[in-house]
Amino acid sequence: MKTYKENYLLISFIVGFLVWLSATVLFRVAGHYFFIVDNVLILVALYIILIPALGFISTAVFNKFKLGNLESIKSAAIMVLPGMLLDTLCVQFFEKLFPNMPEIYSKTFASWLMFAYAIVLIFGLLRKKQEDAN
C-alpha cells in the first residue's frame, strides 16, 4: 500500500484536471463577460491574475505533501498534463466549445493557456529548498 506522500502524483493529476474542468466550464458559461480581447487592460489583468491564483494552488499541493525540489517539479508537470492534453481539443474546436466567444479569440485564449501552464511549471522549478522537519 502506498504511503500518504507517495500519492502526490495522483493528487497532482486530479488537482490539475479539476482546475482545467473548472476553468473550461467557467469560460464556456461566462467567458464572453470577462475574456475581452479588445480591452488591453482587462487582458493584462487576466494574465496577472493567473500568477497568484495558480501559484497558490500549486504551492498548496507542494506544501500539503511536503515535496522537495525534484518532487515539486514532477508534481507541477503532472498537474499541467491533463489540461495541456485536453486544451488541444478546446483550442481546435474553440467555436463549438465556447460559442459565446468570437472565434478570433481562440489565438489569445491559446496564448493565455500556455502562460497558465508555464506559471505552474515555474512555481515547481523555483520552489525553495525545503528544510527537513526532523
Side-chain angles (χ1 to χ4, degrees):
M1 184 168 159
K2 287 188 174 185
T3 63
Y4 176 71
K5 186 173 180 176
E6 289 175 340
N7 288 321
Y8 81 92
L9 291 175
L10 176 62
I11 299 300
S12 297
F13 185 86
I14 291 169
V15 167
F17 175 77
L18 291 175
V19 169
W20 170 83
L21 183 63
S22 301
T24 302
V25 168
L26 179 65
F27 274 90
R28 166 78 181 198
V29 172
H32 60 288
Y33 292 121
F34 63 87
F35 197 74
I36 304 167
V37 173
D38 300 332
N39 188 325
V40 175
L41 193 60
I42 290 175
L43 197 56
V44 168
L46 288 172
Y47 276 89
I48 292 172
I49 287 169
L50 282 177
I51 298 168
L54 294 177
F56 174 78
I57 292 168
S58 56
T59 301
V61 172
F62 304 154
N63 290 341
K64 175 79 174 164
F65 291 97
K66 297 178 175 70
L67 301 182
N69 293 36
L70 184 57
E71 293 167 324
S72 295
I73 294 168
K74 286 181 179 179
S75 175
I78 294 297
M79 231 180 288
V80 300
L81 192 59
M84 290 179 78
L85 290 170
L86 293 167
D87 276 334
T88 58
L89 297 172
C90 290
V91 172
Q92 181 64 38
F93 302 106
F94 185 85
E95 65 280 353
K96 289 179 178 53
L97 291 170
F98 307 107
N100 295 334
M101 293 192 289
E103 187 177 354
I104 60 169
Y105 284 18
S106 63
K107 287 186 343 187
T108 305
F109 183 71
S111 168
W112 189 77
L113 292 172
M114 285 192 289
F115 184 76
Y117 296 127
I119 292 299
V120 174
L121 293 172
I122 288 168
F123 270 88
L125 285 169
L126 298 182
R127 182 150 167 86
K128 291 182 182 175
K129 185 172 181 143
Q130 299 300 301
E131 295 298 321
D132 194 9
N134 297 330

